Amino acid sequence: MKYFDRQAFRAGTIAAAIVVAMIAAGSRGLRYFDWALTTYAVGSIFAAFAVAYRYAVWAQRPPTKMYLKRGWKLFFARRTRRAKLGKLLLDNFVLQKFITKRSSQRWIMHACLSWGGMLAFALTFPLVFGWIHFETLASDAETYRVFLFGFPLEQFQIHSVQGFLHFNLLNIAAVVMIVGLVLAVKLRMSDRGELAIQSFADDVFPVLLLFAVAATGLMLTVSAQSMAGYGFQFIGMAHAASVIGLLLYLPFGKLFHIVQRPLSLGVSFYKEEGEKGARAACQRCGSDFASQMHIDDLKKVLDQVGFNFRFQTSAGEIHYQDICPPCRRRLFALNQGRALGR
């Protein structure tokens, strides 16, 4: 078994180097980098390496490689409508309609986890990397200025609605996340099918880790504003540990599907192109059962993974993929009956 992949290692090294370069450039040569957040930055660099490494290994698998190749080719084809991409992004990443087919409650759960997580990451990384920092005006300590990459972006009054949102967006993200986590636990506890197949590493641990991040983040605000800073240092250490744990878990656990999800866009283009192109007819019953492009790609992938499903007959060579699924089941039953002497 191959445990080390040089190509994936190069991809991971490049990704980590890019993050380091972006931190240095975005913080103006570390001028605006907050050294108190060094552990978060180091965890982010390692996570970038691990995510890129695993993605590169995953992308080299024949089925994934085929989908990526086809997806990019179809995306850059002149006849591809860019509006289609916009609709796919809206449906899959904003509205997340693929979840609505299961239940409205599951959609709310997934939406809270997704939107809360995206909002938290969108705020945390720029702050940790030194891309965003705040300064008060020299003439007015009640007015804050926001700098992006060292350039002034906006200013606001501390006690305004705008100020409240700026200082509490991470808290809002944490509350949204907790709502999603509560619904996730409720759904898992009420679904016997989920209970039967769930494991601690893939199902329970991610929920505990996300809850720890959200809860300790909220407790930092509670400690600072309502408890006169009591326990702030301990809560801060617990929050840092949970965030770094989440970053380290991301490339190796179930949450890696966040990185894999964009491939669904290529799959959608693939299906649409298949519906427009030639169709494959079953060599046994003659029915139309799939796109010819999909069948041809399946044959290539099966060859690449070492499965030979070609059979020699009196009429010539037949591939297993040239038979529709219903006929495959019928042939299986017929052959099983012959083996039993019936």
Side-chain angles (χ1 to χ4, degrees), residues 4 22 24 31 42 48 51 83 89 105-106 115 118 133 154 172 199 211 219 231 235 245 265-266 272 275 301 306 334:
F4 179 77
M22 291 173 66
R31 178 181 177 184
V42 172
V51 167
L89 289 171
Q105 191 175 43
R106 191 173 293 273
W115 295 340
M118 287 189 290
H133 72 280
E154 61 173 332
I172 293 172
S199 66
F211 180 80
M219 284 303 299
I235 299 171
L265 301 180
E272 182 181 355
E275 292 173 357
V301 170
L334 289 172

Side-chain angles (χ1 to χ4, degrees), residues 159-235:
H159 301 293
S160 65
V161 174
Q162 190 177 3
F164 175 84
L165 290 175
H166 276 77
F167 294 135
N168 289 280
L169 273 177
L170 278 174
N171 291 328
I172 293 172
V175 171
V176 172
M177 284 283 292
I178 290 176
V179 170
L181 291 169
V182 170
L183 288 174
V185 173
K186 178 179 178 295
L187 287 169
R188 286 198 171 276
M189 294 297 293
S190 60
D191 191 326
R192 293 183 179 180
E194 294 282 357
L195 286 172
I197 62 174
Q198 72 178 355
S199 66
F200 179 81
D202 288 335
D203 300 290
V204 179
F205 183 69
V207 173
L208 294 175
L209 194 55
L210 289 171
F211 180 80
V213 172
T216 53
L218 285 175
M219 284 303 299
L220 284 173
T221 301
V222 173
S223 173
Q225 297 184 0
S226 304
M227 300 170 59
Y230 180 78
F232 189 89
Q233 185 176 4
F234 173 78
I235 299 171

Side-chain angles (χ1 to χ4, degrees), residues 55-101:
Y55 192 91
V57 172
W58 175 68
Q60 292 177 61
R61 296 175 179 175
T64 311
K65 190 174 182 180
M66 178 62 73
Y67 269 130
L68 286 172
K69 180 181 177 181
R70 286 288 190 185
W72 282 112
K73 182 179 179 180
L74 295 172
F75 175 73
F76 286 109
R78 293 182 179 180
R79 62 181 177 277
T80 299
R81 293 173 297 176
R82 296 299 179 263
K84 175 67 175 178
L85 176 62
K87 185 177 184 303
L88 288 173
L89 289 171
L90 178 65
D91 291 345
N92 287 276
F93 293 94
V94 180
L95 301 179
Q96 303 184 17
K97 290 184 177 180
F98 61 94
I99 298 293
T100 57
K101 299 177 181 178

